[in-house]
Amino acid sequence: MEKFVIRGGNKLHGNINISGAKNAALPIIAASVFAGDFCRIENVPDISDVRTMIKILEFLGAKVEKPEAGVIVVDSRNITPVTIPDEMTRKLRASYYLLGALLSNFGKACVALPGGCYFGVRPIDQHIKGFEALGAKVDIENALVNVQCDELYGSSIYLDVVSVGATINVMLAAVKAKGLTVIENAAREPHIVDLANFLNSMGADVRGAGTEVIKIRGVSNMHGCTYSIIPDQIEAGTYMAAVAAVGGDVTIDNVIPKHLESITNKLEDCGVTVIEGDESVRIISEGNRRKACRVKTSPHPGFPTDMQPQFTTLLCTCNGTSTVVEDVWDNRFKYIDQLRRMGANIIVNGDTALITGVDKLHAAPVEADDLRAGAAMVIAGLMAEGETVIGNIKLIDRGYEMLVEKLTGVGADVKRVDFEED
Ligand code: EPZ
């Protein structure tokens, strides 16, 4: 079983190059079914979630080639909307984007309920509300979501919660619906804009992505395209937090600094220097000057929930008492038990964590509870005295391309080690 072995304490210096965004790549690959043709998709991260999504498309009949690193070419000419079984969807929340895409393109889809990281109940009621508003019939039986329609008609849909997944799924379903669909209270994450740009490159008519109101005018024909995925905001933020926590001077390349503003602002609150370039951010951190701060997660442009575990970890050794409020998910503090094993002083009360800075963390065997919690354990290992061993790293591999290489490239002591079964 593979684990990460980290010897903490090294300051980090140099450059880290950021990969394409996981949470843009997954809906974009799903949306390539609309082309009925070839789509060349660039800046695709080589991570296990993307490999799983490619397998699902191949299962539907697509041919996917990788002509060079970071590029896939999807041939969607022979896709059919067959049932996608549980063993394919269990690993991946984003598998449910095939519901919207296949429904819009073929008038039907049957996809097993999705898996993904567990942070409490993850309902899909807003996805269903959107499909039904467009005229689809939705049944959930034996853990299979079955959606079908004779024809989809544009409609006005107000999302009761700001949901990334529902915004994307309803957008996908509306792409070929007759007439105008208006999604109100839409999520505004950069990956939603990226998906809209990809859909428009294939001939769709989607406007307003990145604002609270998205308008989609249905089209009947779409075509192939070449498209390059945006850089990963959360991967970049994770390395920014790591450098801030451990100390050093690292330039994070291939980013869109605007997407990182909420993270940059909080790092500055902690006393870390962030210098924005055109496509880079430079992080300069001197461990002893860092101070506590207050963080509250919220949908974009707020502080991303997917950075909450990494930031909480950084705060473990900041001077004073920090407050972290998790306002998106009900249950995203589970990993804090692992930080406590490493000497962190954290009290959790409902949606709020109070973190009182300690001088240092110390090494301990820990587990990745989910993708970002796993990234937090990596940061904790880099901060800690001694050798930290992190188990269950397949969850980290879901979202971080070449993590060991990127960290060792800036001076960290991190190895992937294959242990005999425990
Ligand atoms: C996406 O999940 C991301 N996943 C998550 O990132 C991320 O944490 C989340 O957005 C929030 O930013 C992918 O993009 C694949 P939501 P998603 O629908 O779409 C409630 C990572 O680490 N809700 O925006 O599932 C829900 O319970 C992953 O990369 C409903 O009530 O999140 C939550 O409280 C993990 N009904 C809130 O909305 C619904 O129908 C936001 O969820 C849908 C959601």
Side-chain angles (χ1 to χ4, degrees):
M1 188 187 294
E2 288 191 331
K3 300 187 179 192
F4 286 148
V5 177
I6 304 180
R7 186 158 281 283
N10 292 4
K11 301 256 183 273
L12 306 178
H13 290 273
N15 293 64
I16 295 178
N17 200 44
I18 295 305
S19 302
K22 168 179 87 81
N23 289 344
L26 297 173
I28 282 176
I29 295 170
S32 64
V33 306
F34 283 111
D37 196 357
F38 293 88
C39 285
R40 179 184 161 93
I41 309 173
E42 300 172 348
N43 206 27
V44 179
D46 187 14
I47 50 177
S48 67
D49 269 13
V50 162
R51 290 192 285 272
T52 305
M53 185 58 101
I54 289 173
K55 275 196 191 122
I56 296 177
L57 273 208
E58 288 174 334
F59 174 81
L60 294 173
K63 287 209 167 57
V64 182
E65 290 193 347
K66 294 180 190 159
E68 56 195 275
V71 178
I72 62 169
V73 176
V74 182
D75 170 2
S76 58
R77 287 175 302 174
N78 293 314
I79 284 189
T80 50
V82 291
T83 300
I84 305 175
D86 173 70
E87 60 267 25
M88 310 211 85
T89 64
R90 181 186 308 153
K91 289 189 195 152
L92 186 64
R93 188 107 204 129
S95 52
Y96 61 13
Y97 294 144
L98 268 323
L99 282 169
L102 295 175
L103 173 69
S104 194
N105 207 48
F106 297 101
K108 64 175 184 176
C110 185
V111 181
L113 281 167
C117 297
Y118 181 78
F119 336 108
V121 183
R122 296 185 72 175
I124 58 165
D125 57 302
Q126 298 303 304
H127 305 234
I128 294 171
K129 172 179 163 173
F131 297 153
E132 288 180 338
L134 296 174
K137 189 168 169 304
V138 184
D139 291 307
I140 303 182
E141 222 176 296
N142 301 325
L144 284 175
V145 187
N146 199 0
V147 286
Q148 49 190 311
C149 63
D150 295 329
E151 194 82 75
L152 291 176
Y153 291 95
S155 176
S156 208
I157 296 143
Y158 182 90
L159 297 179
D160 301 329
V161 286
V162 180
S163 158
V164 171
T167 302
I168 288 179
N169 237 339
V170 178
M171 201 157 104
L172 291 169
V175 159
K176 286 193 165 178
K178 282 205 158 57
L180 181 68
T181 297
V182 181
I183 307 174
E184 289 184 79
N185 202 27
R188 291 179 278 165
E189 269 64 7
H191 30 286
I192 290 179
V193 180
D194 211 32
L195 172 65
N197 289 339
F198 175 68
L199 290 167
N200 288 342
S201 303
M202 288 190 295
D205 183 355
V206 180
R207 298 174 194 204
T211 76
E212 284 163 25
V213 182
I214 301 179
K215 294 184 177 169
I216 305 125
R217 194 166 286 284
V219 295
S220 40
N221 292 312
M222 292 173 71
H223 48 75
C225 69
T226 295
Y227 192 80
S228 184
I229 290 172
I230 53 166
D232 197 308
Q233 173 203 28
I234 305 300
E235 189 202 11
T238 299
Y239 292 120
M240 290 165 78
V243 180
V246 178
D249 181 349
V250 171
T251 300
I252 319 268
D253 293 314
N254 183 34
V255 298
I256 298 175
K258 178 92 190 140
H259 293 170
L260 301 171
E261 268 174 3
S262 61
I263 302 165
T264 297
N265 290 342
K266 283 297 151 195
L267 287 178
E268 287 174 339
D269 286 356
C270 291
V272 174
T273 304
V274 184
I275 302 169
E276 285 186 5
D278 287 344
E279 293 181 1
S280 65
V281 284
R282 180 175 168 200
I283 312 296
I284 305 169
S285 171
E286 295 163 37
N288 53 1
R289 285 185 46 219
R290 288 183 295 106
K291 50 184 193 288
C293 74
R294 185 182 161 80
V295 178
K296 182 178 179 188
T297 67
S298 55
H300 192 79
F303 188 88
T305 173
D306 292 347
M307 278 301 300
Q308 182 261 101
Q310 303 90 310
F311 218 86
T312 300
T313 304
L314 147 70
L315 295 173
C316 286
T317 57
C318 287
N319 294 326
T321 298
S322 300
T323 308
V324 174
V325 179
E326 173 54 59
D327 209 28
V328 176
W329 296 110
D330 291 343
N331 187 1
R332 206 171 187 174
F333 284 138
K334 190 163 162 264
Y335 68 91
I336 281 177
D337 281 342
Q338 315 260 352
L339 288 179
R340 290 194 184 112
R341 287 162 61 90
M342 300 178 75
N345 180 353
I346 307 178
I347 297 167
V348 176
N349 189 0
D351 64 0
T352 303
L354 288 180
I355 305 118
T356 301
V358 294
D359 279 348
K360 47 182 73 131
L361 297 181
H362 49 78
V366 290
E367 294 287 308
D369 283 330
D370 61 57
L371 167 59
R372 307 303 172 188
M377 291 306 120
V378 171
I379 295 175
L382 296 172
M383 294 162 72
E385 246 179 14
E387 193 174 84
T388 296
V389 179
I390 305 174
N392 210 17
I393 61 170
K394 63 177 189 299
L395 294 183
I396 304 175
D397 291 334
R398 290 182 56 184
Y400 290 89
E401 181 177 45
M402 302 209 321
L403 177 127
V404 170
E405 292 79 357
K406 290 185 186 190
L407 283 172
T408 51
V410 289
D413 185 346
V414 184
K415 292 187 192 77
R416 180 187 290 269
V417 178
D418 202 354
F419 286 79
E420 295 286 308
E421 280 298 329
D422 294 332

